Structure formats: C-alpha cells, structure tokens
Amino acid sequence: MKLVVRVIEARNIPAMDQNGYSDPYVRLQLGRQRFKTKVVRKSLSPSWEEEFSFKVEDLKDELVISVLDEDKYFNDDFVGFLKIPVSRVFDADNKSLPTAWHSLQPKNKKSKNKDCGEILLTISFSHNTSSADFNINSDPLDQLKTTESPKRSFSGPSNAPSPVRVEDTTSSREEKSCAQKTLAGRIAQMFNKNSDTASDRGVDFLELPETTKSELFDDKCVDQSSSASFEEAMKTMEPRDLGSEVPSNLPGGVLVDQMYVIAPQDLNTLLFSPDSNFPRTWAEEQGNTELQIGPWRFENGCESLKRDVTYIKAANKLIKATKGFEEQTYLKADGKVFAILASVSTPEVMYGGSFKTELLFCITPGPELSSGEQSSHLVISWRMNFLQSTMMKGMIENGARSALRETYEQFATFLSQTITPVDSNDMGLNKEQILASLQPEPQSDWKLAVHYFANFTVVSSFFMGIYVLIHIWLATSTTIQGLEFVGLDLPDSIGEFIVCGVLVLQGERFLQLISRFMQARKQKGSDHGVKAQGDGWLLTVALIKGDNLAAVDSSGFCDPYVVFTCNGKSRTSSIKFQQCDPMWNEIFEYDAMDEPPSMLDVEVYDFDGPFNEATSLGHAEINFVKSDISDLADVWIPLQGKLAQACQSKLHLRIFLNNTKGSNVVKEYLTKMEKEVGKKINLRSPQTNSAFQKLFGLPPEEFLINDFTCHLKRKMLLQGRLFLSARIIGFHANLFGHKTNFFFLWEDIEDIQVLPPSLSSMGSPVIVMTLRQGRGMDARHGAKTQDEEGRLKFHFHSFVSYNVAHR
C-alpha cells in the first residue's frame, strides 16, 4: 500500500526573517523516505498544492510533517511540525483523513513561538501498488523518471520539471520491487544501479525534465577541476549574485581583518582555486597531512558551488592528531565581492559529532591606492554551530575560540609573506586624493530662487497682489461710515472681511517663504572646507549624498541639512532645497584632539524657517571604538527614527581619523593625566596594548592606561580586572572557563558616586558608575540595577589600592 499526502497550503505562519515574512517549505518523512515541497518566497500564508506518495511497510510508523523557513546563507529556521500515526489513517473511514487544518507544534517547550500556524492536508491510502506501465518504444530514462517520481503537482502538467528535490532515497529493496521482469524493467534497474554515482556528481535524474541524452550530459553543472573551469564557474555565478547582499560577519567574532595589495578576484583565486599552491603550503606550515582537495561542483541546479576538503590535523598539547572534514560553499561571487562559508567537522574528537565550526571568508574591494593598484579587504569570522545540546557547550566554544585566534593570527602572518598588506601611509595619501576629488555642486542664487519660489503659494500671492493693486487704482473713495475715520477704512460686509483675512494669511505665507530662503542662504555651508588647527587626532568627515530622505513638505520634498557633533563641537552642512536625494560633496574637519574621539553623532533635519523648530528626518551614531576606521573610509550609514526607517533613509559618508603626533600623542596624554591624578603612570608595552585590544575587540589606536583587580557586584560577586583607557572602561573575568566581558564609553557616564563601606561590600567603599539614559546597553549584563529612567548602574569594590583606583 501507498500513503498519499497532499500538501495544500498553510496559514498564520510566524515571521522568521527581519523583513516581516518567511520563506516556508514543507519537509515530509516516513521512515527513511523523505521529500520536500518548493519554497514560497516572502509569505505567511503559502500555497503549495503538491502531492507525495510513500510506500508503507509498518503501520506503527509515524508521518512527520515539518514546516521550515529557508535561510539563504545559514541553517534553515524551524517553524513547527506535527506527527500523524499511519495507523490513524488506516483505521479511518475509507482509509483516509479528509481535508482539514492541522495545528503545527513548536520544536520544544522553550520555543519563543508558541503559535506556529496551521497547515491544510489531505492524507489517504492508495491500493494501487503496481508501477506505471513501461513503454518499450520510449526512452528508458523518461520511463524511469515517470515510474520513480514520488510527487505530482496540481499547478502544471505532469511532464513539467519538478521543483521538489528528493533528500533521501528509499531502500534498495524498494528500488528492486519497482523493476519488472521485462526488458524495460531491466533497463530501469541498470539506471538505478548508477543513481548513486549520478547524485554524487550533483545530478539527480529524478529532477530532470524530459530532454535528450545529449542535453543531459552537456549540462554546465559539472565538476570544476581545472583552473580554467574554476574561472568559468565564477563567471557562471557572477550574473546570479549581482546585487545580492554581502553576508554579515558570524557572531563568534572576527579572526582576520586586513587589507592587501591585490585585486579581489586574484585573492579569491589564490585562496580557493584548485590550482593554487597556497592551501597546500599553509597545510604544511600547520603540520597537517593527507590533504585532499576535491573539485568544485555545482549542486541544486547550479544554485550553489561546493567542494570538500579532508586532512589530518596535527596533534597539539590537548588533542591527538584527528581527521577533519571541511565543506566549502560559495555564498556570493559577483566578480568583485566573494563570500565563502567553510563548515568544518571533526567527528573523532570528544563530542565532535555534536558541533561544527563555521568560518566565513569575505573578500571585498578596498580603496584604490595612491600607486594606482587595487586593494582587497579580507575578513574572516567564525561561529560554533551546535547540532545537538550538550553540557560541554561553553568549554567547547572557549577552546575553539582560543585555538582559532592563534591559528588565524599565524594565517594572517603567513598570507602577508605571500601578498603585501596595505600600508597605512599609502592610505593617508589616498585620503588626500579622495578629498581633492570632492567638489560641491555649484549653486546659483537665482536658479535656487526660481526653483524654490515656483509653487502655487507664491504664484497665487503674486496674482492676488496685482489684482488688489488694480482694484485700488480703479476704485473711487467711499464716504466715511460706521466706526471709520480718516485713515481707517474697515470692511463694509462679511464678504469683504473674509477676503481681507485670506489676503493677510496669503501674505504671511509669502513672507515666511522669503525669510526661510534668506536664512537658508546665510547658512550656505559655512563649515565646509574650513581647515583643522593643531596637532593630534584629526577627524575629517566628507558628506557625499543622501538617499530616500523623508518628504515632510506638502510639495512632496524636503529641505534637508546635516549636523555632525563630536566631543561637543558641531559642523553643519548647507541646506538643499526641495530634494529627497540631495548631493552635498562637502568636507568638514575638526580641530586636533588630545585623545581619539569615541562617537560621532549625525542628525539630519528639515529646514522650516528661522522661527520654527526643525523637523528631524533621522539620526545615527558612529562608534569609533567598535568600528575599524578603514571600514569608514567609504560607508553608507542607515538612519534611525520613525521617518527614516519608514523610508529606509541613509547617508553616504567618508570618514578619516589621523594621528599627526605619532607615538608622542600617547606620552603627552599620560603626562597630562599624571598631573590630574597625582600619580606616575607608566607607558604600557606594545604587547600589552595588543592583548588589551584583542580582549575587548578594540581598534589599534586604543591604548591601555591602567588596570586594577576588583569585584563586580551583581546578584553574586565576581572577581576580575577593571581596565581603563582613553575612551573606555572595561571589565573582564574568567571563572572556570565562563568569561564575563564588557565595556562602555567614558562619555556615556553621567555620574560617579562612592558608597561607604558595608558588610555586603566586605568593608570596602563601592564606586557606582551611572550611565546616561539608553547608553551602554551592550554592557547591561554587567550592571547591578537599571533605574526607572533606563539608566544602568555598575558597582565596583574591593580594589587592592582603592585610593589609586578612585583617582
């Protein structure tokens, strides 16, 4: 007997993606037989209308129906599932369950989404166990496809290409039962024997449309085993990936972030081409043996390009030599940007079957260098993908983190011996070239006036004024009546009163427009091009243009301008009249600062005259502590706020931060601090500063001032070290492998108080740091309390030397 399942549609599917939709599909499994439907894009009420056929061997089996959300880059999200015993269908009337809605259940009780939606199914038994008749005069390949295909689609003819991929074949006994004792049946058996080989090449005969044998074997989706075919594979993926988003860094952290003097295509070829010697040389450097690099192959109908790599990883102090399996998949390859996900499994190590280590290689174009050469930006990030829960999760993750950081520090050094890293001095020259190429758009006052005043209000006011003047010229003087006297002529009727009111209001609007225009012309980008003064940290911001700014005027446009604020100093751009996609090309420089800046606040306003409060079109914050300054050299900043998020507004900026004093700026800063705190402060070594930067993921310009042993007071006391630098306060603790790590900015602190010693603080004064409202949310897991206004409070005490730490 066969169990026929018809998947019709679903409703109330929860949104699993950030765009408020899901990409749902259904996976069905009975025993070892497993099928799936097509994926419906961006839908919470998907419709499939597909039918599947399962061979039933045991009535005790359960049919498992799962709904999942497809994720383009990473593992698919689980939506919900349901189980239907086969015996329930067998015992029902007519051995079938009528068309009905079935509620989906969450994966476990801890799932966030309790309401997983419903799915409409029809399930029944079919007593027709014979295979489809073979036609000895037809193509055996077509007969095989017709006989073995487990699914029929209601949305098209039966000979259309099937969108369903068979994920797991049935047992060999089932395959043999389908073959008849006819000539055609024996030919079908011959094809079945070779099915495994075909699937290994990424070709599934069950999915192929009716085609000739020559078309089948001329398919472009074949193994890419030579350098030439690797280039062809890149060209094949280029039009498909053009315009797609670059995958974001994996949450485990960044292992390598470096720019090299090489084109992105060449760097991709060096790292991943089958003919490149770099992977083999790097394996020898690591002591890995038996390296086997498989050919690149297309899978899923040319949708993904993959290859397999196996090797025996060299033994170290903790683990013995073990075999590693690595699957590399291209997520994006558009000719300029390349993203490769490597999934590494080591099943021979302890708990090796419960996790995989995933590495994301992102190669993007860097800025053009002053020498005219191209540059590439290589970022390698990682995460642990746990296939099943384990109590050793924390220990496994911490061990992998330290091992990966050490390995990829060596990788970056080894790669730098092959290709040249970008020199910071070369980048500095490039900054001058970039800024010199920016020229603000010339603005003629007369053209702006015509563009600004060419609207209904001005034109109607003009004609009304002409009309009134002509009326005064033609009209004769009237006699004084009522409360009038010489010099005061009042309206003589309700109609005249209404007309006078309209004229006054129209004149007021006309005068407001003139005052707005005159005020805006005074603010004609006065901060643009003003050179910075002094030596130290120089911040330069180039405002290029805006995109999709919110239209708040009745005309359907806005009059935007931008205000940049850093360390209490502001720079204001010129006002662009009646534009939602303005082009500025203006440069703003800040005078030299003794310490590197922490934040740059960006606020976009709509100009509404000198007497009215400007309307905010959006805002953004640029955190220099959490950003690599090289990434800010050419960046699109999305704006926050209701209007900005509704319109998806963003600004194009180029930001440069330079130190004109070199290492002297650190020494001068510490000398200034010594005078303030009355204590000698020693300059830390480069190795100590480097370790401090890696501990908190800080940029290379950050330097350590001092650190103290103390207790962090939360629900339970936690001993660790408090680190102080020019821009941040950070805390780090490691308790039996469980690490607590956070930091916040000095400028986020609103108040610092000292509480007297108490029994709970073990006789030590407590330093309480209160942050401003909404600030430091990344560090809230270290805060003791959060008050009603949303301000975080951090408690530190039990310093070895309290007086020194407090100063």
Side-chain angles (χ1 to χ4, degrees):
M1 290 188 297
K2 286 188 177 181
L3 184 69
V4 179
V5 182
R6 183 183 176 192
V7 182
I8 303 173
E9 60 178 322
R11 63 186 180 188
N12 301 327
I13 298 295
M16 308 299 289
D17 298 335
Q18 294 182 352
N19 58 10
Y21 293 99
S22 295
D23 301 326
Y25 67 92
V26 181
R27 188 172 64 197
L28 304 93
Q29 182 173 355
L30 180 65
R32 294 180 58 191
Q33 304 169 77
R34 187 185 303 169
F35 308 116
K36 63 180 283 191
T37 67
K38 64 185 178 184
V39 178
V40 179
R41 303 291 179 188
K42 294 184 179 180
S43 176
L44 302 181
S45 300
S47 177
W48 291 284
E49 292 288 352
E50 299 180 22
E51 190 173 287
F52 303 87
S53 178
F54 296 89
K55 184 172 182 179
V56 177
E57 294 182 347
D58 191 345
L59 291 177
K60 295 181 181 179
D61 288 342
E62 287 185 322
L63 174 65
V64 181
I65 300 174
S66 307
V67 179
L68 298 95
D69 168 61
E70 187 183 59
D71 195 318
K72 182 176 180 181
Y73 297 123
F74 307 116
N75 293 338
D76 294 349
D77 298 320
F78 190 88
V79 177
F81 79 107
L82 65 100
K83 293 182 179 180
I84 300 177
V86 176
S87 57
R88 175 184 165 190
V89 184
F90 187 81
D91 295 337
D93 294 338
N94 299 325
K95 291 185 170 48
S96 65
L97 298 179
T99 303
W101 289 97
H102 300 265
S103 298
L104 296 171
Q105 304 300 320
K107 193 173 185 179
N108 49 54
K109 295 181 180 179
K110 298 181 180 179
S111 298
K112 295 181 180 179
N113 293 326
K114 300 298 182 183
D115 185 9
C116 302
E118 297 177 299
I119 187 169
L120 186 63
L121 303 171
T122 301
I123 307 174
S124 61
F125 271 100
S126 173
H127 296 278
N128 183 15
T129 59
S130 62
S131 300
D133 296 334
F134 284 99
N135 185 354
I136 197 167
N137 296 321
S138 63
D139 191 341
L141 179 61
D142 291 338
Q143 295 176 12
L144 177 67
K145 182 192 70 173
T146 307
T147 305
E148 293 288 349
S149 179
K151 170 255 179 189
R152 297 188 301 275
S153 175
F154 289 90
S155 57
S158 60
N159 61 349
S162 171
V164 180
R165 181 173 73 251
V166 179
E167 295 187 358
D168 192 10
T169 59
T170 57
S171 63
S172 59
R173 181 177 59 183
E174 293 169 355
E175 294 174 353
K176 292 177 182 179
S177 65
C178 293
Q180 306 297 318
K181 296 180 180 180
T182 63
L183 177 60
R186 292 177 181 175
I187 295 175
Q189 280 187 331
M190 291 168 59
F191 276 94
N192 276 333
K193 289 178 181 178
N194 295 327
S195 62
D196 293 338
T197 306
S199 61
D200 288 342
R201 297 192 204 110
V203 180
D204 192 343
F205 285 122
L206 301 182
E207 290 190 349
L208 294 174
E210 293 184 1
T211 182
T212 62
K213 296 178 183 178
S214 60
E215 291 175 336
L216 173 68
F217 293 103
D218 286 342
D219 196 332
K220 293 182 180 179
C221 302
V222 295
D223 290 351
Q224 312 295 328
S225 57
S226 65
S227 178
S229 57
F230 176 74
E231 294 175 359
E232 292 173 2
M234 294 295 101
K235 291 179 181 178
T236 302
M237 296 188 68
E238 184 173 336
R240 188 202 69 182
D241 291 343
L242 203 62
S244 62
E245 295 182 359
V246 181
S248 56
N249 292 336
L250 299 182
V254 175
L255 302 172
V256 175
D257 188 349
Q258 179 64 48
M259 286 196 288
Y260 297 94
V261 185
I262 187 175
Q265 303 93 321
D266 297 336
L267 181 57
N268 174 61
T269 301
L270 175 70
L271 297 179
F272 298 103
S273 173
D275 287 352
S276 173
N277 290 324
F278 181 82
R280 296 174 177 81
T281 311
W282 167 241
E284 293 174 1
E285 179 74 14
Q286 290 291 105
N288 298 340
T289 58
E290 298 185 19
L291 176 65
Q292 295 183 1
I293 302 177
W296 288 104
R297 65 185 185 278
F298 278 106
E299 291 187 355
N300 303 337
C302 291
E303 288 186 2
S304 60
L305 183 63
K306 298 183 179 182
R307 77 172 178 184
D308 298 318
V309 179
T310 60
Y311 50 85
I312 295 181
K313 188 171 179 60
N316 56 31
K317 296 179 181 180
L318 298 178
I319 59 173
K320 63 179 182 179
T322 183
K323 192 162 188 176
F325 301 88
E326 183 172 334
E327 183 185 67
Q328 299 175 352
T329 306
Y330 269 92
L331 304 181
K332 182 178 177 66
D334 63 2
K336 294 182 179 179
V337 178
F338 302 89
I340 300 93
L341 181 68
S343 180
V344 184
S345 58
T346 51
E348 295 179 1
V349 302
M350 188 177 296
Y351 300 102
S354 63
F355 68 90
K356 287 185 178 181
T357 306
E358 294 181 350
L359 299 163
L360 180 62
F361 294 76
C362 278
I363 303 172
T364 55
E368 185 177 348
L369 305 179
S370 57
S371 60
E373 296 177 288
Q374 292 184 342
S375 65
S376 299
H377 188 193
L378 173 64
V379 178
I380 304 176
S381 56
W382 76 285
R383 75 170 180 179
M384 296 296 292
N385 183 9
F386 285 91
L387 308 177
Q388 59 189 44
S389 59
T390 172
M391 296 177 61
M392 307 301 292
K393 180 178 179 180
M395 183 177 295
I396 293 171
E397 203 161 26
N398 292 332
R401 180 182 292 108
S402 59
L404 286 170
R405 285 181 177 175
E406 181 180 353
T407 299
Y408 279 91
E409 282 179 12
Q410 299 172 6
F411 175 85
T413 304
F414 188 75
L415 185 59
S416 300
Q417 297 172 3
T418 306
I419 51 179
T420 308
V422 173
D423 188 4
S424 58
N425 295 328
D426 202 355
M427 293 294 295
L429 293 174
N430 187 50
K431 167 198 167 183
E432 300 301 329
Q433 291 180 350
I434 292 174
L435 297 181
S437 65
L438 296 178
Q439 296 296 332
E441 186 179 350
Q443 294 179 322
S444 169
D445 289 343
W446 285 107
K447 288 184 179 180
L448 281 175
V450 171
H451 180 71
Y452 186 69
F453 290 112
N455 56 61
F456 176 77
T457 300
V458 175
V459 173
S460 60
S461 298
F462 176 77
F463 281 108
M464 282 184 180
I466 296 296
Y467 186 85
V468 170
L469 290 175
I470 295 174
H471 168 73
I472 294 173
W473 181 50
L474 296 176
T476 59
S477 58
T478 59
T479 59
I480 297 175
Q481 55 184 346
L483 298 178
E484 297 177 345
F485 55 86
V486 177
L488 178 64
D489 190 6
L490 297 176
D492 297 334
S493 65
I494 296 298
E496 288 185 3
F497 178 78
I498 293 174
V499 170
C500 290
V502 171
L503 292 176
V504 170
L505 293 176
Q506 194 75 1
E508 181 189 15
R509 292 184 62 187
F510 181 67
L511 292 176
Q512 283 182 347
L513 286 173
I514 295 176
S515 64
R516 283 178 62 185
F517 181 78
M518 299 302 296
Q519 183 71 19
R521 296 318 295 155
K522 286 183 180 180
Q523 187 180 320
K524 194 175 178 180
S526 57
D527 292 332
H528 164 64
V530 178
K531 294 295 181 181
Q533 304 294 325
D535 289 329
W537 293 96
L538 296 179
L539 175 62
T540 304
V541 181
L543 172 61
I544 311 299
K545 61 180 179 179
D547 186 53
N548 292 332
L549 300 184
V552 294
D553 294 346
S554 58
S555 60
F557 295 97
C558 59
D559 304 325
Y561 67 96
V562 185
V563 178
F564 299 95
T565 305
C566 183
N567 286 354
K569 299 177 182 178
S570 298
R571 299 289 185 268
T572 305
S573 74
S574 61
I575 299 172
K576 297 296 180 182
F577 285 112
Q578 302 294 291
Q579 294 186 34
C580 290
D581 299 314
M583 176 71 73
W584 276 285
N585 280 346
E586 296 179 1
I587 303 170
F588 309 97
E589 294 187 4
Y590 289 81
D591 291 340
M593 295 168 271
D594 293 333
E595 57 193 70
S598 304
M599 299 284 292
L600 175 66
D601 293 320
V602 183
E603 195 80 41
V604 184
Y605 294 103
D606 174 64
F607 183 75
D608 198 20
F611 307 110
N612 297 325
E613 185 177 354
T615 303
S616 176
L617 301 180
H619 62 89
E621 288 183 349
I622 299 172
N623 192 326
F624 293 107
V625 178
K626 296 181 180 179
S627 304
D628 192 330
I629 193 62
S630 62
D631 294 337
L632 300 177
D634 189 2
V635 64
W636 282 92
I637 303 294
L639 298 178
Q640 304 298 318
K642 292 182 178 179
L643 291 174
Q645 290 177 330
C647 300
Q648 296 184 346
S649 305
K650 54 186 177 180
L651 290 180
H652 186 192
L653 305 177
R654 290 178 180 267
I655 302 173
F656 303 93
L657 183 63
N658 301 99
N659 175 18
T660 59
K661 288 186 178 180
S663 59
N664 292 331
V665 71
V666 178
K667 294 179 181 178
E668 291 181 6
Y669 183 86
L670 294 180
T671 302
K672 179 183 176 182
M673 277 203 64
E674 288 176 355
K675 296 178 181 179
E676 293 180 358
V677 302
K679 183 183 180 299
K680 177 68 176 177
I681 300 176
N682 296 322
L683 181 65
R684 299 302 180 99
S685 67
Q687 292 80 8
T688 303
N689 275 323
S690 178
F692 166 65
Q693 293 161 6
K694 290 179 181 177
L695 184 62
F696 293 101
L698 302 174
E701 63 266 15
E702 198 69 21
F703 56 91
L704 179 63
I705 297 174
N706 213 336
D707 62 297
F708 306 94
T709 301
C710 68
H711 281 89
L712 173 67
K713 189 175 182 181
R714 297 184 296 185
K715 292 183 179 179
M716 294 182 63
L717 291 179
L718 181 63
Q719 182 175 355
R721 295 191 74 81
L722 191 68
F723 295 84
L724 310 182
S725 75
R727 295 187 288 185
I728 73 156
I729 296 179
F731 180 82
H732 174 76
N734 188 347
L735 183 64
F736 302 114
H738 180 74
K739 295 183 180 180
T740 301
N741 214 40
F742 65 85
F743 70 86
F744 48 85
L745 303 177
W746 279 106
E747 65 179 49
D748 289 344
I749 299 176
E750 183 178 273
D751 188 27
I752 299 179
Q753 297 178 336
V754 179
L755 301 181
S758 63
L759 186 62
S760 62
S761 65
M762 298 181 291
S764 169
V766 181
I767 296 179
V768 181
M769 299 184 185
T770 304
L771 305 189
R772 292 187 174 92
Q773 183 179 2
R775 295 288 188 171
M777 288 301 167
D778 292 341
R780 62 181 176 270
H781 59 279
K784 187 178 188 299
T785 57
Q786 184 174 5
D787 62 16
E788 296 178 353
E789 298 179 5
R791 300 179 302 176
L792 298 175
K793 294 180 181 291
F794 297 82
H795 292 228
F796 303 98
H797 64 87
S798 300
F799 291 90
V800 174
S801 178
Y802 167 77
N803 291 330
V804 175
H806 182 238
R807 287 206 303 272

